[in-house]
Amino acid sequence: MEIIFYHPTFDTPWWLNALAKAIPGANVREWKVGDNAHADYALVWHPPVEMLAGRKLKAVFALGAGVDSILSKLKAHPEMLEPSIPLFRLEDTGMGLQMQEYAVSQVLHWFRRFDDYQAQKNESVWRPLPEYSREEFSIGIMGAGVLGAKVAESLQAWGFPLRCWSRSRKSWPGVESFAGEEELAAFLSQTRVLINLLPNTAETVGIIHAGLLAQLQDGAYVLNLARGVHVNEDDLLAALESGKLKGAMLDVFSREPLPKESPLWKHPRVAMTPHIAAVTRPAEAVEYISHTILQLENGEPATGQVDRQRGY
């Protein structure tokens, strides 16, 4: 079995060694320009077109939860990957736990009014504030995939009202489910904290805009853990300035790194992290990839395959 590997920033020798140990009999090599030798599987992140074009691969694995970079490149270069070749993404591999940590910590930060206390501290003000009630601090999760389910699960223990919105209705215990465009307004109207975990598709680009934000509860919060293209940043800033939104926590942006001239840097009610909410954990990723390859080799069903038409 021949496996080619390409990632512009990962520790390639570590990955090659770990994959070779996890998949008995596999020859795993780093792909370099000019390598046209046979390969059965490709493990990639932002792959050059020439790495995949013309190959008769059994499957391609994206080394992350998102596949939008590959799909967008396929639109411009459809010859890069034949439609019959399965494309897989990392469904969890440790990212679910990281998303849980991030979401729970930020929701509790807002619920306990630590943002307000930090603002008071900056003004040398000592004043206890009224507490929020859990019943009125409803949390709405946009995107009900593997990571959305993990985040909902982690928040249940804290007693907040939970709701989710996605393309199709979900049956998550203790979570009110909304589906489709026709139920979006109802989902938003009772949401105090909006957590975005949507996939990046043509339908979801720019979905968090002025019209959507206007439908949230007054004094709402936005937590974006998905993709920067989901949020119209000018509309977000306008909603913060008007008081419609009380705060925003952003891990992803329309341009990364975020340009120094962006007003998001200096806005007092915007908190940010540099796209670190959930990163690929090598050991877990190798375990998933090796297990899935062995399933495919044995003709068994495998999870994580991407529907190229839907984009996830």
Side-chain angles (χ1 to χ4, degrees), residues 90-266:
L90 303 184
E91 282 194 308
D92 188 339
T93 61
M95 285 183 272
L97 177 59
Q98 295 174 73
M99 285 292 190
Q100 289 178 325
E101 295 166 346
Y102 199 119
V104 169
S105 66
Q106 188 57 41
V107 168
L108 293 178
H109 181 87
W110 285 326
F111 177 66
R112 291 299 308 273
R113 305 195 66 170
F114 292 149
D115 54 334
D116 292 322
Y117 285 119
Q118 181 61 39
Q120 288 189 172
K121 181 258 184 185
N122 293 339
E123 299 296 328
S124 303
V125 173
W126 179 284
R127 183 175 67 245
L129 298 169
E131 294 181 348
Y132 292 142
S133 70
R134 276 179 170 75
E135 295 73 22
E136 297 176 350
F137 213 76
S138 58
I139 300 168
I141 301 170
M142 296 181 74
V146 172
L147 297 180
K150 289 285 188 180
V151 168
E153 176 187 321
S154 66
L155 289 166
Q156 281 185 311
W158 297 95
F160 299 110
L162 292 174
R163 49 186 41 215
C164 69
W165 178 81
S166 58
R167 179 184 180 127
S168 58
R169 198 173 309 283
K170 305 302 177 185
S171 297
W172 295 349
V175 181
E176 188 176 7
S177 178
F178 297 80
E181 187 68 29
E182 64 277 7
E183 296 185 6
L184 180 57
F187 164 80
L188 295 168
S189 65
Q190 298 300 315
T191 293
R192 181 70 179 277
V193 178
L194 182 68
I195 301 178
N196 178 39
L197 284 165
L198 288 168
N200 181 10
T201 68
E203 292 77 22
T204 62
V205 170
I207 191 171
I208 301 178
H209 52 71
L212 181 143
L213 295 171
Q215 298 177 72
L216 293 169
Q217 292 184 353
D218 291 341
Y221 300 89
V222 170
L223 173 56
N224 189 16
L225 299 175
R227 287 290 185 267
V229 295
H230 289 142
V231 177
N232 183 308
E233 293 172 359
D234 289 339
D235 288 354
L236 182 78
L237 287 164
L240 287 163
E241 288 300 312
S242 71
K244 180 64 183 181
L245 292 183
K246 192 163 186 286
M249 181 75 191
L250 309 175
D251 181 59
V252 287
F253 305 88
S254 57
R255 290 178 59 193
E256 295 181 2
L258 185 66
K260 293 185 181 297
E261 62 271 18
S262 170
L264 292 170
W265 284 110
K266 296 183 178 180

